[in-house]
Amino acid sequence: MSSSLTFGHLLRRIRASRSITQRDLSERAGTSVKHMCALELGDARPTRAMCIGIAKALPIDATLSNLLLHAAGFAPAFDADLSVGYFALQAAYDTVRVISPTPCLAFTSAGRPLFVNDEFAAFAETMFGVSRTAYELGEADARLAALFLPSVLSRLANFEEVISHVIARLLRDAAIEGAGSPPDRVVQALCGAFPHLANVSTNELPTFHDMVFRIDDTEVRLKAQLLTLGSQYEPAFRSVRFMAFFPLDAATSRWLGQVARSRRDDAPALER
């Protein structure tokens, strides 16, 4: 399947995630609204200087700035830790779309959110009240935790069981990647927040784990699976992780379908 993660599409997603209108971005970047619209639609091709100007105007960090340049066909211009490159980003974008209608989130090994499919976006907005523009292609792990954690704590009936599983998996990854690695940093933060869960066992760690959410009078039962694209032969993809959520019963499947259809009907186009 061909990817639609073009320069224009990537720019549009980043701009929306920062709640910046086309008009505001045009003024900051020193161009017209018409030209900015043409860039996002793919009807115009940016120069290297325009890419850099847009990156600074958004503003975004060095990694996303280089990804914008790459999407436009230019070499990187910023010093950055390329924990995720353009081709891995493109693979993440394509994969969450392929996994539909199963809700799916793509993120880096450091916990940085990349892309979600429409089904995950509908689930997260309904269950947690968080719009995809608040976290998709986000820059700060702490910001993501602040957005989701309070709602997860209140909605997830078996929270401690799930967080123990997450910590155990991160501990195993940290043992492989070493002290100071992204999994090690994340697990240290989680263990600091939940010190009584710091001694979980990594033995016989399952691939799947069950999650039971409650919203109003509805119980939503999901089986979450952590997926990766990479192998020892594809190091560029090893930093990308996926979390897919499979319904455990017919009632949950119907609820997810209703939520996705409702959000699809109500969702406005990304603000210009």
Side-chain angles (χ1 to χ4, degrees):
M1 182 181 73
S2 61
S3 173
S4 58
L5 188 59
T6 61
F7 170 84
H9 194 95
L10 183 58
L11 172 60
R12 187 175 174 86
R13 296 302 268 273
I14 294 173
R15 176 178 62 77
S17 72
R18 272 81 181 151
S19 301
I20 301 173
T21 65
Q22 280 187 347
R23 182 173 300 279
D24 288 342
L25 182 56
S26 301
E27 292 175 355
R28 296 182 194 179
T31 189
S32 67
V33 176
K34 183 178 180 180
H35 187 221
M36 189 62 66
C37 181
L39 289 173
E40 291 192 358
L41 293 175
D43 295 334
R45 186 176 183 276
T47 63
R48 189 171 187 272
M50 175 60 71
C51 288
I52 294 172
I54 289 173
K56 291 179 177 178
L58 278 165
I60 51 178
D61 65 8
T63 297
L64 284 180
S65 298
N66 285 338
L67 290 172
L68 267 183
L69 282 161
H70 191 136
F74 300 108
F78 301 89
D79 292 329
D81 174 16
L82 292 180
S83 57
V84 56
Y86 177 75
F87 293 113
L89 189 74
Q90 179 173 286
Y93 177 77
D94 286 341
T95 300
V96 296
R97 293 165 65 212
V98 168
I99 291 176
S100 290
T102 299
C104 184
L105 161 71
F107 56 97
T108 69
S109 58
R112 179 177 187 166
L114 297 175
F115 295 109
V116 300
N117 57 19
D118 292 342
E119 290 78 10
F120 181 90
F123 166 72
E125 187 165 353
T126 302
M127 184 65 70
F128 308 125
V130 180
S131 169
R132 73 193 304 166
T133 58
Y135 58 87
E136 198 169 48
L137 290 172
E139 294 186 14
D141 303 337
R143 180 169 174 261
L144 183 67
L147 283 170
F148 281 101
L149 195 55
S151 294
V152 170
L153 283 168
S154 65
R155 301 286 192 195
L156 187 57
N158 60 334
F159 176 80
E160 290 210 355
E161 175 189 340
V162 172
I163 202 68
S164 296
H165 177 101
V166 171
I167 290 173
R169 184 170 292 279
L170 287 167
L171 282 170
R172 190 173 68 176
D173 292 346
I176 296 171
E177 298 185 29
S181 63
D184 182 62
R185 293 197 299 270
V186 176
V187 80
Q188 293 303 323
L190 286 174
C191 288
F194 308 101
H196 62 293
L197 301 177
N199 296 318
V200 298
S201 172
T202 59
N203 296 329
E204 299 180 359
L205 188 61
T207 303
F208 293 88
H209 58 276
D210 296 352
M211 306 179 79
V212 181
F213 293 96
R214 291 196 177 96
I215 177 169
D216 300 326
D217 297 326
T218 302
E219 189 172 86
V220 179
R221 304 179 64 85
L222 299 167
K223 188 171 285 292
Q225 183 180 19
L226 185 66
L227 309 168
T228 63
L229 287 178
S231 71
Q232 59 182 325
Y233 304 109
E234 299 168 322
F237 292 160
R238 293 182 65 184
S239 63
V240 179
R241 311 288 173 86
F242 301 87
M243 187 65 78
F245 299 87
F246 300 92
L248 281 169
D249 52 43
T252 296
S253 183
R254 288 194 298 270
W255 184 86
L256 288 173
Q258 291 168 359
V259 165
R261 286 192 296 274
S262 174
R263 295 295 175 182
R264 193 180 303 119
D265 293 340
D266 297 342
L270 292 177
E271 184 186 10
R272 290 186 174 182

